[in-house]
Amino acid sequence: MPATPKPAGEDYVGRFAPSPTGPLHFGSLVAALASYLDARANNGQWLVRIEDVDETRCDASYADAILATLDTFGLDWDGEVIVQSRRKARYQEVLATLEAAGQTYHCECSRKEIADSAVMGIDGPVYPGTCRHKNLPAHGAAIRFASPAGAVEFEDRLQGKQIQNVERAVGDFVIRRRDGLAAYQLAVVVDDFDSGITDIVRGADLLDSTARQIVLQRALGYPTPRYLHFPVVSNNDGEKLSKQTLAAPVATGDRIGVLRGALHFLRQPEIQRVADCRQLLAAAVANWQPETISRSRSLVFPDKT
């Protein structure tokens, strides 16, 4: 479904939310660029959030390096950078709200126990609700959100209509881990609401997570943003570029050339004769055409299709 700009006078707030588990690689630069261009083309704000809620995998030095790389490419953000590891009290506050509403429960199941008794869903074994009615104590337990029955339907600006029954596809999912850290699904929903995010432009590897976020939004009375999920950059083996797949840091020598490559991956019009990154970005904003992006979930770069 082709994207349409927001009406004049309607606020747009977008965001880029990298996890500092390694340096910014080309796939992450594509994600930053897509969200940046969509925000600026709609005369909106573009926020940056450091998603270090999983402190066991993140490093503050990588967060600093990511911000420095964005600055090097002329990707200027608005306002203060939000850091998830500084928002633990806020996540706990929202958890308490959900618990008070009877929408959560404690779970002591191990991954092996779940795998042994569950069918496979879209994101691994579907949790069968083993602990839902056990009234377990909080100590040493994870907290799960009791997924509601019925399908979640939403219109992705690029991928079109999406329908998912979270209860059947995922089951009751974890929103606080056993170690006390907030889980990604809860943190991202709270952060987006608190920042007033209206539009989320991100990789299609997160498309299947969206319905989980929507059921949390509904449980908390939060509005649902618009979504656009574009293909992630993959290597020649079809694996998403990441620290786990040994993705190299994005090259900063020929910055204009790298940005042109990212625009090519997003199938945007070719732009000639610019002096620096900011001129290239300004021209890319003026020519932004999100409807021309491939609807594939992932693409190898350079794209040979």
Side-chain angles (χ1 to χ4, degrees):
M1 174 182 175
T4 55
K6 294 188 67 178
E10 187 177 351
D11 293 335
Y12 177 115
V13 183
R15 47 78 159 176
F16 172 55
S19 296
T21 57
L24 198 77
H25 53 71
F26 182 73
S28 296
L29 181 68
V30 167
L33 181 63
S35 58
Y36 174 91
L37 294 178
D38 201 62
R40 298 307 190 213
N42 284 281
N43 298 312
Q45 296 182 63
W46 186 63
L47 310 183
V48 171
R49 178 170 75 229
I50 299 298
E51 293 200 334
D52 62 348
V53 66
D54 186 352
E55 297 178 39
T56 63
R57 297 176 56 242
C58 298
D59 189 312
S61 66
Y62 288 135
D64 293 338
I66 288 169
L67 297 176
T69 303
L70 293 177
D71 184 62
T72 296
F73 280 94
L75 293 162
D76 301 323
W77 58 88
D78 297 302
E80 181 180 354
V81 174
I82 297 161
V83 180
Q84 285 184 331
S85 58
R86 301 172 187 168
R87 291 174 48 78
K88 296 176 186 177
R90 174 62 175 144
Y91 303 144
Q92 185 55 48
E93 175 186 309
V94 175
L95 271 169
T97 298
L98 291 171
E99 288 184 279
Q103 294 173 301
T104 67
Y105 61 90
H106 295 103
C107 173
E108 62 182 5
C109 296
S110 68
R111 290 185 180 184
K112 184 180 184 305
E113 289 170 335
I114 297 169
D116 288 344
S117 60
V119 298
M120 293 300 293
I122 60 169
D123 196 21
V126 176
Y127 184 68
T130 306
C131 294
R132 187 185 270 215
H133 302 296
K134 288 185 176 181
N135 296 315
L136 296 171
H139 181 70
I143 296 178
R144 291 186 180 271
F145 177 76
S147 297
V152 172
E153 183 176 323
F154 68 97
E155 188 77 20
D156 187 271
R157 291 171 50 199
L158 183 65
Q159 304 293 340
K161 181 178 290 187
Q162 305 294 312
I163 302 174
Q164 183 187 121
N165 185 312
V166 178
E167 183 184 41
R168 295 177 182 175
V170 180
D172 300 338
F173 54 94
V174 172
I175 55 175
R176 195 205 69 185
R177 303 177 354 176
R178 285 189 179 212
D179 59 10
L181 294 175
Y184 167 77
Q185 304 295 355
L186 177 73
V188 71
V189 165
V190 176
D191 293 341
D192 286 337
F193 172 73
D194 287 354
S195 295
I197 300 299
T198 63
D199 290 78
I200 296 173
V201 177
R202 63 186 182 186
D205 56 323
L206 293 169
L207 181 59
D208 289 338
S209 291
T210 306
R212 273 168 275 179
Q213 292 161 25
I214 291 175
V215 295
L216 282 174
Q217 291 159 2
R218 291 174 178 174
L220 292 163
Y222 295 172
T224 294
R226 285 176 289 263
Y227 291 93
L228 187 157
H229 289 86
F230 55 84
V232 298
V233 184
S234 61
N235 60 24
N236 290 326
D237 294 325
E239 301 168 319
K240 175 190 170 185
L241 295 188
S242 67
K243 180 181 179 181
Q244 286 72 33
T245 58
L246 306 178
V250 65
T252 57
D254 178 14
R255 294 187 291 278
I256 291 179
V258 172
L259 281 177
R260 289 190 195 281
L263 288 169
H264 174 72
F265 181 85
L266 293 167
R267 299 187 176 177
Q268 296 304 294
E270 189 171 344
I271 297 166
Q272 301 294 338
R273 293 187 293 277
V274 292
D276 56 34
C277 288
R278 285 181 171 80
Q279 281 191 14
L280 179 59
L281 290 170
V285 167
N287 290 281
W288 176 234
Q289 298 175 25
E291 67 274 11
T292 66
I293 301 171
S294 170
R295 294 187 181 183
S296 299
R297 290 287 190 104
S298 67
L299 289 172
V300 175
F301 183 79
D303 179 14
K304 303 299 185 183
T305 63

